[in-house]
Amino acid sequence: MADELELLRRADPVPHDGPRFADGPLDERAEQDLQRLLREPRPRRRARPFRALPVRAGRTRLVWGLAATVVVLVIAVNAVLGDPGAPRAVAAPRPLTVHSGAAPVSLRDMAALADAAAAAGSPTLRRGTHVQTWSLGMSDGEPPVTLPEERVVRWRADASRTELVVATDPRRPGRPVVTDEGDEPHLVADGQVISRTTYPPTWSDAPPEAPPPHTAARLRAYLTEIARPQADRGTDALTTAELLDAVAELLDHWTLGARESAAVVRLFAQTGGLRPAGEVTDRLGRPGRAYVHDTEGVRRMLIMEPRTGAVLGMEDTFTEDVPEYGVKAGAVMDYSAWMR
């Protein structure tokens, strides 16, 4: 609830000492921002989900509207990096290039490939994750800060876990990147350790901490529990956007085995909403098949391994200019690239 309240506060630009602050009506600009917040899709923002894993009495979802996420990229980079020769690409990575020349592979065909690959039963499911991420970030009164990072979470037999977070830019190895560690934007070296943490044992039988099932029907129920809070879960099937969000959160907790990956592909095929876009090389240099889902102003791309259907990554980009925030169509909102 705190995140939603903060979004509403940001939608109201009336100064704290203004005559219409508190119980007064919104002005015209604030009303427009509030309507955009309520109307437009709410892209996902993943923010180090393993920082804390309390026993789950209810799931706090980190959601943010388009109006609260779009930022002035050029101003942000100059404000943080200053020097024109600094690595601007870190703050605004280019979207991945999809090659549409090859014959499209439908998700149903990909599901068949994934089922065949899973017949041998390997690789197997493993708790923990290894992922590279990047996303637009904002903080009150400060310029936007971005942090390309690599995160490795490993679990031990006693249910304790370790987390290693390293600053990295996979497109420009060895170059500086930007971090806000310590609450002050500054440059750090590619490969610099941002944090190294060991967490005490924790147990939970609720998704996404509970092991995911490997049949499509049971996995759908599991992902529904991730995507929707108990209070308003309902009986409607997951939308494509909800399924993408839930799978991303699952992959931030578990490294899927062949059978779980096949079940994920089967769910995407059954849900619909994703269309084959062609071949793509992901940010780690791996070949993949791209499937895209368009919502208002945002394109979400799912990248799958061509032979097994394993999810390699996801990337969200703007498909329309947002001139009031200085964002151009094609700007990357966020991406993740998962590894075994």
Side-chain angles (χ1 to χ4, degrees):
M1 180 62 71
D3 298 313
E4 284 82 353
L5 290 175
E6 182 60 27
L7 293 178
L8 291 174
R9 294 189 187 104
R10 293 181 182 178
D12 181 4
V14 180
H16 71 279
D17 56 351
R20 294 193 302 200
F21 185 70
D23 294 334
L26 301 180
D27 64 13
E28 182 178 356
R29 171 64 182 277
E31 186 69 26
Q32 291 174 352
D33 286 346
L34 179 58
Q35 290 303 316
R36 183 183 300 111
L37 174 66
L38 297 175
R39 181 177 65 251
E40 295 187 357
R42 301 185 301 175
R44 137 185 75 82
R45 182 182 181 184
R46 293 175 298 280
R48 303 181 186 177
F50 279 89
R51 286 291 184 226
L53 285 176
V55 176
R56 183 171 170 271
R59 184 168 173 273
T60 300
R61 294 186 55 78
L62 184 59
V63 293
W64 37 300
L66 185 61
T69 65
V70 292
V71 294
V72 184
L73 297 177
V74 175
I75 294 177
V77 177
N78 288 339
V80 178
L81 300 181
D83 183 1
R88 295 174 179 268
V90 169
R94 295 179 180 177
L96 294 173
T97 301
V98 178
H99 304 284
S100 57
V105 177
S106 71
L107 279 169
R108 291 191 180 278
D109 290 340
M110 182 61 75
L113 291 172
D115 287 339
S122 63
T124 57
L125 177 70
R126 186 178 69 220
R127 195 175 191 184
T129 190
H130 186 182
V131 58
Q132 286 190 352
T133 62
W134 180 92
S135 65
L136 297 181
M138 296 184 69
S139 59
D140 293 336
E142 297 291 340
V145 177
T146 62
L147 174 58
E149 68 177 30
E150 183 168 348
R151 182 167 47 90
V152 180
V153 178
R154 292 289 179 259
W155 288 77
R156 297 167 173 166
D158 64 353
S160 64
R161 69 189 187 280
T162 61
E163 179 192 66
L164 174 66
V165 180
V166 179
T168 181
D169 182 358
R171 297 164 300 107
R172 296 173 177 268
R175 299 286 292 275
V177 295
V178 183
T179 179
D180 59 353
E181 191 74 14
D183 298 325
E184 291 294 332
H186 57 281
L187 291 174
V188 297
D190 182 5
Q192 178 173 327
V193 174
I194 300 300
S195 65
R196 190 191 304 269
T197 312
T198 299
Y199 294 93
T202 57
W203 293 270
S204 175
D205 59 357
E209 286 82 20
H214 57 261
T215 64
R218 293 174 58 202
L219 184 60
R220 183 183 297 278
Y222 178 102
L223 295 174
T224 299
E225 192 170 346
I226 292 177
R228 298 175 182 171
Q230 180 67 47
D232 59 353
R233 186 164 299 158
T235 58
D236 294 339
L238 290 179
T239 65
T240 303
E242 287 177 320
L243 185 56
L244 286 166
D245 286 346
V247 168
E249 187 160 348
L250 170 62
L251 292 172
D252 281 341
H253 288 74
W254 294 87
T255 300
L256 300 187
R259 295 189 298 174
E260 292 78 19
S261 290
V264 167
V265 183
R266 183 69 60 188
L267 281 183
F268 279 121
Q270 294 172 355
T271 302
L274 283 163
R275 60 177 177 81
E279 298 176 339
V280 66
T281 300
D282 79 351
R283 298 189 184 276
L284 302 178
R286 301 172 298 185
R289 291 277 181 179
Y291 298 84
V292 299
H293 172 65
D294 291 315
T295 59
E296 187 177 350
V298 178
R299 172 166 294 176
R300 310 189 66 180
M301 182 166 65
L302 172 71
I303 304 168
M304 291 183 172
E305 205 284 328
R307 296 164 298 176
T308 66
V311 175
L312 300 179
M314 294 186 189
E315 177 173 284
D316 297 343
T317 58
F318 293 99
T319 56
E320 300 174 1
D321 293 347
V322 189
E324 61 265 41
Y325 295 100
V327 172
K328 300 292 186 181
V332 176
M333 180 185 297
D334 62 32
Y335 71 76
S336 293
W338 290 278
M339 296 161 272
R340 282 202 67 83

